[in-house]
Amino acid sequence: DKVFHFGAYAVLAALMLRATLTPKDFGTVAMIIALVAVFGAVDEWHQSFIPRRSMSFADWIADTTGAIVGALAVRFIPFMTPRRPGSLS
C-alpha cells in the first residue's frame, strides 16, 4: 500500500514540476513538493469521511516522500528535465 502511495505521488510531483517554466529552480521544486504534500494531507483527511476508510499518517509520509523523490529526480536527472525552446540547458 505504501509503495503505491509513494509511486503515485512521485509521478504527480514529477509531472507537476515538468509542467513549470523553471523546473531546475529550487524555489519551484520546493513549491511543488509543498503543494503535493498538502494535497496528500487533504486526501488523507478526506478519507476519514468515507465509510471503511481511515486517515493514515504513514500514508501521508509515503505520499510526501514520493513527492520529494519525484521532484528531485526531475531536478537532478538530466533526461527527466524538459528542454524549453530557446533555452541553453
Side-chain angles (χ1 to χ4, degrees):
D1 177 51
K2 305 300 180 259
V3 173
F4 294 116
H5 279 266
F6 177 90
Y9 281 81
V11 169
L12 177 61
L15 292 174
M16 286 178 68
L17 187 57
R18 283 182 53 92
T20 68
L21 294 175
T22 55
K24 290 191 172 194
D25 178 62
F26 280 109
T28 303
V29 172
M31 181 60 72
I32 293 299
I33 291 170
L35 285 172
V36 173
V38 168
F39 180 77
V42 170
D43 185 41
E44 289 302 319
W45 172 72
H46 152 263
Q47 288 181 39
S48 68
F49 298 106
I50 299 172
R52 296 182 302 278
R53 299 294 304 262
S54 63
M55 222 167 41
S56 169
F57 181 72
D59 284 351
W60 178 76
I61 292 296
D63 299 342
T64 302
T65 304
I68 292 167
V69 170
L72 291 179
V74 170
R75 168 60 180 88
F76 288 109
I77 300 175
F79 74 86
M80 291 187 72
T81 304
R83 291 182 183 234
R84 302 282 181 221
S87 71
L88 298 176
S89 58

